[in-house]
Amino acid sequence: MQKATNTNTNAVALHNTHVKLLAFDLLSLTQSPFPSSDATTSFFRRGIPISRVETVGTITLRDLKHDRFLRFAVDDGTACVPCVLWLNDANSPSVARRRRHELAARFAALVKLGAVARVRGRLSRFRGTLQVTVSDVAIERDPNAEIFHRLDCILLARNCYNILPPPSSYTPPQPPLPLPPPK
Amino acid sequence: MASLEIKSGALVSLQDLRPSSPFFKQGASLRITGKLHEYSIETGLATIIDGDDILKVSTKHLRDLTFQVGSVYQFIGELLIQPDNEGVLQARVGRNVDGIDLNLYHQSLLLLRQFQTNHLNNPATM
């Protein structure tokens, strides 16, 4: 029974991890019909909550909107993942937000058509379409990076994500039955 | 988002692009990888090979990409089928992938197709 507790904890722990997913798998995540006070728990894969993802692919679209945000698409050969990188904190009174803007501006400069990027971020929805609100961009120069990511995603799905029971399926261990009274 | 207007380039090997293949369709968005066999600066046409298979790639929309015969390249674009039934990939993205493990690349395509088929047939196990 202890094992069930561990796998269940893992399913919950996945919620705070950048989960590696292929684009077609990522875009097929379902959203909870019930709005949650914690918006990060609203996306599910086989009942397992996922809030953050990691994708690797070729940038096939780049669209800077009024210097407020950058929209781009990452194509991993299975689908295109829509991504948004916010750039609207340049004049914020908050030092932390201005620093975050500097970092985002640096990421935006890396996003070029044809580059292979490793993108991490939080799942969100815009006009009914799932997208990734970007927190991190790294350019991959290893020509095998996409292959390794593809294999990682397949192995993780088969050996990890697919075998985790959803948190709701966990039932706590029952107390032992009382011993029959001695004869 | 505009990305929905841009189709994903399906991962294919040149072997998958014979006229009998389901990928050999007018306007199909594809991603292909192979060795540069020939390149014409005048026409912008590159000839890519992988084993015995060959494909012409139009590179006129590409910028900042230098072509070197013998190097390995990867292109994403749309397939244009000519009246003589020859396919030409109209590339919108291209890059040099010298150092790529082509055996591992082909193996990963097979694994990916199995995985996607499994997903379509049994989404509950995904």
Side-chain angles (χ1 to χ4, degrees):
Chain A
M1 209 59 209
Q2 186 61 41
K3 195 166 187 276
T5 315
N6 289 345
T7 51
N8 189 259
T9 309
N10 290 344
V12 176
L14 208 59
H15 169 58
N16 291 317
T17 308
H18 285 103
V19 179
K20 287 187 179 196
L21 289 174
L22 288 167
F24 85 101
D25 199 356
L26 191 158
L27 295 178
S28 68
L29 295 177
T30 55
Q31 193 171 16
S32 168
F34 309 107
S36 163
S37 56
D38 175 8
T40 61
T41 60
S42 57
F43 292 92
F44 293 87
R45 186 187 187 279
R46 290 185 69 231
I48 295 164
I50 290 174
S51 63
R52 295 176 177 89
V53 290
E54 178 178 314
T55 185
V56 176
T58 305
I59 295 162
T60 54
L61 182 123
R62 185 188 196 276
D63 184 18
L64 184 63
K65 297 275 189 182
H66 321 296
D67 290 331
R68 288 190 61 241
F69 58 90
L70 174 69
R71 286 194 178 282
F72 61 98
V74 176
D75 181 357
D76 72 356
T78 69
C80 285
V81 179
C83 300
V84 62
L85 177 62
W86 288 98
L87 301 164
N88 57 347
D89 281 327
N91 303 314
S92 170
S94 158
V95 174
R97 283 188 173 216
R98 284 202 307 274
R99 285 218 180 112
R100 200 184 306 159
H101 170 81
E102 285 166 20
L103 195 59
R106 217 175 300 160
F107 291 148
L110 295 175
V111 175
K112 292 191 173 84
L113 279 181
V116 173
R118 182 176 301 273
V119 177
R120 288 177 163 195
R122 191 180 285 278
L123 289 166
S124 56
R125 203 171 273 278
F126 177 68
R127 290 181 183 163
T129 304
L130 195 146
Q131 65 177 15
V132 175
T133 300
V134 177
S135 56
D136 185 79
V137 178
I139 296 303
E140 289 289 351
R141 288 180 175 84
D142 178 356
N144 295 299
E146 281 186 287
I147 302 172
F148 293 142
H149 175 76
R150 199 175 301 143
L151 294 172
D152 278 348
C153 289
I154 294 167
L155 289 170
L156 283 166
R158 282 182 181 166
N159 303 336
C160 176
Y161 314 148
N162 287 359
I163 59 174
L164 289 174
S168 57
S169 72
Y170 171 61
T171 47
Q174 299 300 308
L177 292 168
L179 291 168
K183 287 179 182 172
Chain B
M1 178 182 169
S3 71
L4 301 175
E5 295 156 25
I6 287 205
K7 287 189 287 181
S8 171
L11 288 154
V12 293
S13 63
L14 296 192
Q15 202 178 335
D16 297 321
L17 291 181
R18 290 169 184 166
S20 57
S21 159
F23 293 106
F24 195 80
K25 281 187 186 149
Q26 189 71 264
S29 292
L30 306 170
R31 182 195 294 223
I32 61 106
T33 304
K35 194 173 280 192
L36 184 65
H37 178 64
E38 242 180 311
Y39 179 68
S40 162
I41 296 172
E42 291 79 25
T43 62
L45 275 180
T47 306
I48 299 295
I49 58 166
D50 184 8
D52 297 330
D53 297 288
I54 194 160
L55 180 72
K56 282 197 170 79
V57 178
S58 169
T59 66
K60 62 185 177 191
H61 297 305
L62 304 183
R63 301 280 173 271
D64 309 321
L65 187 60
T66 52
F67 292 96
Q68 194 174 341
V69 170
S71 281
V72 184
Y73 291 85
Q74 188 169 82
F75 298 99
I76 299 175
E78 280 62 47
L79 189 68
L80 299 179
I81 300 169
Q82 317 282 52
D84 62 358
N85 213 31
E86 185 187 35
V88 176
L89 188 81
Q90 198 82 37
R92 52 184 153 90
V93 164
R95 65 183 183 120
N96 180 304
V97 288
D98 279 338
I100 194 169
D101 184 333
L102 284 170
N103 286 333
L104 189 63
Y105 177 77
H106 291 307
Q107 280 178 48
S108 78
L109 292 198
L110 292 173
L111 282 167
L112 177 64
R113 282 174 196 170
Q114 285 171 17
F115 182 68
Q116 286 181 298
T117 304
N118 192 35
H119 176 252
L120 287 170
N121 294 344
N122 195 359
T125 63
M126 281 300 292

